[in-house]
Amino acid sequence: MSVAAAQVGAQAGGFHGAGRQRRPVAVVGRDPRASGEFLEAAVVAGLASSGVDVLRLGVLPTPAVAYLTTALGADMGVMISASHNPAPDNGIKFLTRGGYKLPDAVENEIEQRLGEKWERPVGASVGRVREAYGEADRYVSHVLSTTDVRLDGLDVVIDCAHGAAHLVAPEALRRAGATVETIGVRPDGLNINAGVGSTHLDKLRQIVVSRNADVGIAYDGDADRCLAVSHTGEIIDGDQIMAVLAMAMHAEGTLSGDTVVATVMSNLGFKIALKGAGVDVVETAVGDRYVLEAMRAGGYNLGGEQSGHVLMLDHATTGDGLLTSLHLLAVVARQKRPLAELASVMTRLPQVLVNVKGVDRTKTSVPELSAAVAAAESELGETGRVLIRPSGTEPMIRVMVEAASAEQAESLAGRLADVVRTACV
């Protein structure tokens, strides 16, 4: 694993350094996974061996690495993390100058170059490595500078998933004025996302209700997303968070084009609510990179996914859980209304997702399935919708149905799944 990571680092460094008149600079961060300790060493070694100077940021969220790539004038950023996945998993994310994720074509080119021989720098041409652990405060200060709304009087419980935000998130929200109770802030390299964080909300809900706190916030392992919990223990998902932010920005005149970008998986209730408020919704394929592409192409400043991965391009180049939570809490503080009331601007329609495995994912347009989908859509009318989507990596087709009632959604999803099993083989 370490050898492969070093090779990836070397090839990425060579790619970014090609044709430059000066030595390129990379910033490298990681989440607290045990494997990140040696993967970081390998990636840094690969980068330096290719002639790149490296600033080691230590444990920081992915959005912090993206921000610092720009703030420190680096040519590239590297984040070692597997996000919301369990501790044994890990991965390497590359960011371009400016803090954006690498395009697919560039990632593919770097991958294709693995194992190729090329002339490595020697002597004084190799990169140098230095620590830049103190840059975390620069990121926190940046996030706090994006709003002038104080959070004084708000009692907030935050769950940092034993992940990359375990230091910066409590620091930022306390500096903003909130009273902060924390869970998931003792990473040991093995407990990241283990029963805590945005994919495990039961503990946060329990503490918020028992403490009578105003809001709960849950980040994932690399803190590029967040979900929330109201004072009643209700889960507030990414669609609802975007709806609250969009309504507030629309009222303030700061929502670019009066438009929000979301994926096809966003709940129909989200789109109905925003349409009723005079806000358009642009839909993309599932994936934050597709949301980002549409936002940049259309000049929009708010978009995201139901998972809580929210992009606010006025302030960041990638999803940022801390930034999102700060602005969500700012709306609560400014309007002096409970989060549950704010989130009620949209009604989530019952949504059922069935993953049909062991089928040919290329056959989503076979006549039998198309006819079944048309019949389901006719039954739903304007009160629901159907989405048939192939998995990007597995022999699986995803069937999603939204309807006015959970019973109808489950019934239609089951019938469509049966058609997929027989027609898509």
Side-chain angles (χ1 to χ4, degrees):
M1 183 185 293
S2 294
V3 172
Q7 290 176 341
V8 170
Q11 292 293 352
F15 181 87
H16 282 81
R20 294 187 182 274
Q21 300 301 311
R22 62 171 180 82
R23 182 180 294 169
V25 176
V27 295
V28 178
R30 63 180 179 88
D31 69 25
R33 291 166 213 265
S35 60
E37 297 168 0
F38 58 81
L39 286 177
E40 176 194 46
V43 170
V44 168
L47 289 167
S49 75
S50 67
V52 177
D53 286 338
V54 181
L55 302 177
R56 294 175 58 197
L57 302 173
V59 174
L60 276 181
T62 292
V65 176
Y67 168 72
L68 291 169
T69 299
T70 299
L72 298 177
D75 299 284
M76 62 183 297
V78 185
M79 179 66 185
I80 301 165
S81 174
S83 190
H84 57 281
N85 285 25
D89 298 342
N90 217 332
I92 304 170
K93 304 176 185 180
F94 288 98
L95 303 163
T96 65
R97 187 176 183 86
Y100 293 101
K101 291 183 179 179
L102 285 183
D104 290 341
V106 176
E107 286 188 347
N108 292 337
E109 184 173 348
I110 291 173
E111 185 175 351
Q112 291 170 3
R113 290 174 54 176
L114 290 178
E116 289 185 2
K117 293 183 178 180
W118 56 289
E119 188 174 345
R120 301 284 184 95
V122 295
S125 296
V126 300
R128 304 301 298 272
V129 181
R130 66 182 178 88
E131 296 179 352
Y133 297 152
E135 296 297 341
D137 186 67
R138 188 193 297 257
Y139 164 68
V140 170
S141 296
H142 160 69
V143 172
L144 291 172
S145 73
T146 63
T147 178
D148 58 1
V149 178
R150 296 284 302 171
L151 306 183
D152 301 274
L154 278 184
D155 190 350
V156 182
V157 181
I158 62 174
D159 180 350
C160 296
H162 297 306
H166 74 282
L167 293 177
V168 295
E171 169 72 9
L173 296 186
R174 285 180 179 131
R175 281 171 55 178
T179 298
V180 178
E181 175 79 10
T182 60
I183 58 176
V185 292
R186 295 185 178 180
D188 61 12
L190 303 174
N191 60 358
I192 188 169
N193 300 316
V196 288
S198 61
T199 53
H200 303 280
L201 294 169
D202 287 347
K203 185 175 182 180
L204 178 63
R205 295 174 68 192
Q206 179 184 357
I207 294 175
V208 167
V209 173
S210 64
R211 183 184 169 89
N212 197 28
D214 296 303
V215 181
I217 299 290
Y219 307 103
D220 66 334
D222 70 334
D224 65 351
R225 69 182 72 182
C226 75
L227 294 179
V229 172
S230 74
H231 71 286
T232 63
E234 174 192 357
I235 294 174
I236 309 299
D237 68 13
D239 286 342
Q240 291 168 294
I241 291 171
M242 284 194 293
V244 171
L245 295 176
M247 298 288 194
M249 293 170 67
H250 177 61
E252 296 162 8
T254 58
L255 184 64
S256 296
D258 289 323
T259 298
V260 177
V261 179
T263 76
V264 293
M265 289 301 292
S266 277
N267 194 277
L268 181 59
F270 168 77
K271 298 162 192 173
I272 292 172
L274 291 190
K275 181 179 180 181
V279 176
D280 293 328
V281 176
V282 171
E283 283 191 350
T284 75
V286 175
D288 63 283
R289 71 170 60 227
Y290 304 113
V291 174
L292 177 60
E293 287 173 2
M295 292 177 70
R296 295 181 73 183
Y300 307 125
N301 60 353
L302 180 65
E305 300 181 281
Q306 193 179 66
S307 62
H309 197 274
V310 177
L311 293 98
M312 305 183 74
L313 292 193
D314 287 340
H315 312 298
T317 57
T318 187
D320 188 330
L322 177 56
L323 177 73
T324 300
S325 63
L326 178 66
H327 281 260
L328 180 67
L329 293 170
V331 176
V332 173
R334 182 170 55 246
Q335 297 193 19
K336 295 181 172 57
R337 297 165 61 195
L339 179 58
E341 181 182 332
L342 291 169
S344 69
V345 296
M346 69 162 278
T347 300
R348 282 184 293 192
L349 294 184
Q351 186 181 82
V352 174
L353 176 65
V354 179
N355 293 322
V356 185
K357 300 181 179 181
V359 295
D360 187 342
R361 60 192 172 103
T362 67
K363 293 187 175 181
T364 55
S365 58
V366 294
E368 299 93 327
L369 182 57
S370 296
V373 169
E377 289 177 335
S378 177
E379 180 179 333
L380 289 168
E382 295 184 358
T383 64
R385 65 180 181 130
V386 174
L387 178 64
I388 308 294
R389 186 169 67 88
S391 167
T393 57
E394 301 176 69
M396 179 168 67
I397 292 176
R398 306 184 196 280
V399 176
M400 191 275 284
V401 176
E402 288 173 342
S405 70
E407 293 76 13
Q408 185 183 29
E410 290 171 1
S411 174
L412 286 175
R415 282 153 48 188
L416 290 170
D418 288 339
V419 174
V420 169
R421 291 187 186 97
T422 58
C424 303
V425 293

